[in-house]
Amino acid sequence: MLYLVASCLALLLGPLFYRYFTSGSGLHKGLDGFIFVSLGGLVLIHILPELLEHGGLLSLLFVMLGLWGPTASEKVFHRWSNMTHNLTLVLGIGGLLLHTITDGGAMVLAQQQDASPLLALGVVLHRLPVGLAIWWLLKPQVGNRWAAVVIAAMMVLTGVGYFAGGQLLQHLSLDNTVYLQAFVTGSILHVVLHQPHGQSEHDTKGKYQYQAGIGSLLGVGLLVLLLTLDSGAHSHHHHDHSTDQLFYWLTSIAPILLLAYACASLRFVFGIRPNTSTLSSLWLQRLAGPEALIITLFLLGPAMTLIQAGALLGLGALLSYWQIQPVQPHKNIPAQSIQFGFVHLVDRSAPWIIFCLILANLIGHPSVPLNHPLLQLALLTMVFIPSRFCNLAGAVLAVALANSGWSNLAVLFALIAAPIVNRAQLMSITWLQRAILVACLASVLLIAHSVNIQWQPWIHLPESINLIALGMVALLFAGSLLRVGPRGVMKRLMLDKVKISHHHDSHHHH
């Protein structure tokens, strides 16, 4: 009973925190960053892998429908865009209400003699961002009264789940409602990403990004705590692609990533800079860095590095001969080499590196039936086309996919194609040049397949060094988050015409 009371009190803390944090524009941005990271992170790192485990690849399709369906509807039916957003909001809130029943059931499980108290603590703690999110989403739209009604309903449904027993929970289990929960999960992501008041009216010049960064760092801290508690409470279950797998990737990549940033600073000293007028140098930096080769060398081995370097040099020479300019040029390049490698490049690469690790944790999941190399190549192509991967992110994605058991062809394709196979770059060349580019990529993959190229880590560092390096990378990424804010980070992952925080034609008065 104590767990039930604690979970309800955690929900009530949400409105209280909201009232305090919205007393100023800076605090409002901090709250936005906290909700954006904590709720979005829970969905991407914790909920989506569970959906994949129970529903397979089809569950991702329902997530995408929930995420992009409202956006597509708003574009087709401009006059009803506000209604579409409100309907999505109702679906997201409905999903959170449904989830509260299972939270109540989790409280019962946590009270069993053989259960870990960490399970109950995790449920109670994750109710804090949920309560905050409910008030953050509803109050500006429908006012205090209806937001309070939803909070009260969540408390009642938590009690229903707590006292209903196993029969009701069995009908609401993830196995029985996986696709409904996948669609609702996508709706929640849509609402969080496109929250109309997520961008403060008083922050047109981004002067509150620091406060947004502080809020997002607090969200990261809560997210890490929740995932750690969940991992501890379920330590007797082993999942290949759980948060433990994600943590392993982070620790193994961190020291090599620091070395790559140092390499970028060094090549800046020797004149290999983004503001050069030499086209071949620009393509070298766009495709290889050459700091991306450092990641491949240490984590995938010399054989993979040689093929990657040879293929990228060939492609760079070909594009330079065609007089093609790389898209997404660097802006505001610093004068100091250290600042270039450990600030400028971190700001550009950090969002993509985090995205790649989360992506690999999803598409590399054992429940996703993508064992055939051609299916893997097709999926990677669909990911690369609308994106603008940097070379470091492509190397990190390749390492994560290699550790997930993907084919060597897919790993090489990520290494070579990620920085160049995107819509913006492909639109800058002719159809004939595209065909030649595809033929070159296919030739490299066929040669690698014929010689049966294998990946093998070149070096294994002690765990203590990996953990220290992970702490240093975390500080670098935290600094980037403070500089650009959480929504600024997300904008770097989006296409030019996509806005993270768009305003619907709503006439609610705050």
Side-chain angles (χ1 to χ4, degrees), residues 52 55-68 179 182-183 186:
L52 279 171
L57 191 60
L58 188 59
S59 59
L60 278 186
L61 177 61
F62 281 90
V63 171
M64 297 306 294
L65 284 174
L67 175 59
W68 295 113
Y179 300 122
F183 181 78

Side-chain angles (χ1 to χ4, degrees), residues 30-369:
L31 175 64
D32 175 60
F34 178 80
I35 298 295
F36 191 82
V37 172
S38 59
L39 191 59
L42 273 175
V43 169
L44 293 174
I45 298 175
H46 182 65
I47 297 176
L48 282 185
E50 281 194 357
L51 292 174
L52 279 171
E53 185 176 346
H54 291 268
L57 191 60
L58 188 59
S59 59
L60 278 186
L61 177 61
F62 281 90
V63 171
M64 297 306 294
L65 284 174
L67 175 59
W68 295 113
T71 302
S73 300
E74 289 165 11
K75 290 181 178 179
V76 175
F77 306 105
H78 299 283
R79 295 173 59 185
W80 294 283
S81 63
N82 193 42
M83 183 184 71
T84 303
H85 176 76
N86 290 335
L87 179 61
T88 308
L89 182 62
V90 169
L91 285 172
I93 298 301
L96 290 175
L97 287 171
L98 182 67
H99 186 66
T100 58
I101 302 179
T102 60
D103 282 346
M107 296 291 180
V108 178
L109 296 175
Q111 293 181 172
Q112 304 299 321
Q113 291 184 351
D114 59 342
S116 170
L118 295 178
L119 173 61
L121 183 59
V123 173
V124 171
L125 283 177
H126 100 275
R127 306 271 279 186
L128 178 59
V130 169
L132 264 171
I134 290 292
W135 211 261
W136 177 75
L137 292 169
L138 287 181
K139 182 184 179 296
Q141 301 289 320
V142 297
N144 289 337
R145 183 178 300 176
W146 283 106
V149 167
V150 173
I151 291 289
M154 294 186 77
M155 296 170 66
V156 171
L157 290 174
T158 304
V160 170
Y162 185 83
F163 294 110
Q167 186 173 3
L168 178 61
L169 294 177
Q170 184 177 0
H171 290 295
L172 293 176
S173 67
L174 192 56
D175 287 323
N176 294 332
T177 61
V178 60
Y179 300 122
L180 172 63
Q181 292 198 39
F183 181 78
V184 168
T185 296
S187 300
I188 293 172
L189 279 176
H190 172 85
V191 173
V192 171
L193 288 174
H194 300 85
Q195 180 58 10
H197 57 277
Q199 184 68 31
S200 172
E201 296 175 2
H202 306 289
D203 191 28
T204 54
K205 296 182 180 180
K207 62 180 179 180
Y208 296 118
Q209 293 294 7
Y210 179 77
Q211 288 87 339
I214 291 291
S216 60
L217 288 179
L218 292 174
V220 170
L222 178 62
L223 184 62
V224 171
L225 178 60
L226 290 175
L227 295 176
T228 303
L229 291 175
D230 181 75
S231 179
H234 299 86
S235 58
H236 55 283
H237 296 296
H238 178 70
H239 300 285
D240 290 333
H241 288 267
S242 64
T243 51
D244 294 335
Q245 177 72 78
L246 202 56
F247 181 74
Y248 170 76
W249 290 345
L250 285 169
T251 53
S252 60
I253 290 171
I256 313 304
L257 194 57
L258 288 175
L259 186 61
Y261 289 138
C263 176
S265 299
L266 187 62
R267 54 107 160 166
F268 189 86
V269 172
F270 288 101
I272 306 178
R273 306 178 181 183
N275 54 1
T276 181
S277 59
T278 307
L279 194 56
S280 57
S281 178
L282 286 177
W283 275 114
L284 170 66
Q285 296 172 71
R286 178 73 182 106
L287 298 176
E291 54 271 7
L293 299 176
I294 299 291
I295 297 177
T296 309
L297 176 64
F298 282 94
L299 298 176
L300 295 177
M304 282 283 188
T305 309
L306 285 174
I307 292 183
Q308 179 194 15
L312 293 181
L313 284 174
L315 290 175
L318 186 63
L319 291 164
S320 299
Y321 174 74
W322 287 338
Q323 296 293 306
I324 305 297
Q325 292 287 335
V327 297
Q328 200 180 18
H330 290 246
K331 298 178 181 179
N332 303 319
I333 302 169
Q336 301 296 322
S337 60
I338 296 296
Q339 194 175 8
F340 172 78
F342 290 93
V343 176
H344 178 79
L345 205 61
V346 168
D347 287 348
R348 285 178 65 91
S349 63
W352 285 106
I353 290 171
I354 295 170
F355 171 77
C356 285
L357 291 174
I358 294 175
L359 176 67
N361 200 41
L362 293 174
I363 65 176
H365 197 281
S367 300
V368 179

